[in-house]
Amino acid sequence: MTKVVRFTASWCGPCRVLAPIFNELAAEFASRASFETIDIDENPEYAAANRVTSVPQIIIFKDEKESQRYIGVKPKATYIANFNAIL
């Protein structure tokens, strides 16, 4: 089971930039992974448990283990190329 988690915060400008890209990726890769968004202010324990110290951040979990981590906003093409290789 593969899960892609986006860590975000309501006050984060780059998080707002990443949101539509993440939603498009979720639609495109829905058959290969589940996608979830976590607000670090609402879920600080989960963010801390995953060593999230800055947002936006995307972590890919394969079989509940971290497989890949992206910090900051990347071009959509970068995510697509990496997701195709990983998922």
Side-chain angles (χ1 to χ4, degrees), residues 6-21:
R6 174 176 65 107
F7 291 88
T8 188
S10 60
W11 46 263
C12 169
C15 296
R16 288 189 290 277
V17 172
L18 181 58
I21 296 169

Side-chain angles (χ1 to χ4, degrees), residues 62-79:
K62 286 184 135 187
D63 300 320
E64 299 184 22
K65 294 184 176 133
E66 183 178 328
S67 172
Q68 183 71 37
R69 182 180 295 245
Y70 304 91
I71 299 171
V73 179
K74 312 283 185 239
K76 184 180 175 186
T78 298
Y79 294 115

Side-chain angles (χ1 to χ4, degrees), residues 33-49:
S34 64
F35 286 75
E36 182 178 342
T37 297
I38 300 293
D39 185 305
I40 63 166
D41 293 326
E42 295 174 7
N43 298 287
E45 296 86 13
Y46 188 68

